[in-house]
Structure formats: structure tokens, C-alpha cells
């Protein structure tokens, strides 16, 4: 298998991988074991623009993803 290592700002945002929900523990890197291949990553939090991307995971590798959400509705 492989893994996706995700660091998000803000740290309490909701992380969805292939529609499955994961909650970070507040700013720490979240490492999730996944099968090799493409995975859909979404990050959401109220008051922020949602983020979605596709992550390609190679066998035996850890793909690192850093996401900083942008506040919606301007500052």
C-alpha cells in the first residue's frame, strides 16, 4: 500500500478522502494509509472555500499534501 500525509490550515478542517471523513487533531500532520493509485482529497471548513484535488499514490510511497484554505467572502 501507500499513504497520504496531509497538513491543513486551519488544523480543525474536515478532510475527506474518497468521501471518507477524517478529522485532524489540530494542526498535526494526518497520515492515512491508502491503496496505490489516484485518490480524491477534499478539505472543508465553514467560512472557508472548499478545496479538492486528486492525489496519485505510488506503491510503498507517502504522498505529502499541504493545504491552506482560503477564507470565503473576503476579509
Amino acid at each position: 500500500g501507500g499513504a497520504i500525509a496531509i497538513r491543513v490550515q486551519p488544523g480543525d478542517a474536515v478532510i475527506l478522502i474518497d468521501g471518507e471523513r477524517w478529522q485532524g487533531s489540530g494542526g498535526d500532520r494526518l497520515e492515512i494509509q491508502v491503496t496505490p493509485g489516484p485518490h480524491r482529497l477534499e478539505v472543508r471548513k465553514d467560512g472557508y472555500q472548499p478545496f479538492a484535488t486528486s492525489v496519485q499514490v505510488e506503491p510503498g510511497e507517502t504522498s505529502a499534501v499541504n493545504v491552506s484554505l482560503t477564507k470565503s467572502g473576503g476579509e
Side-chain angles (χ1 to χ4, degrees), residues 1-8 11 15 17 20-35 41 57-58 60-66:
I4 301 174
I6 305 166
R7 186 174 277 134
V8 296
I15 297 165
I17 295 179
E20 188 175 349
R21 183 184 173 123
W22 301 80
Q23 190 84 37
S25 53
D28 289 325
R29 202 172 70 141
L30 187 65
E31 194 163 308
I32 298 158
Q33 302 299 314
V34 294
T35 55
L41 167 67
V57 177
E58 302 298 329
E61 301 277 311
T62 297
S63 295
V65 184
N66 289 303

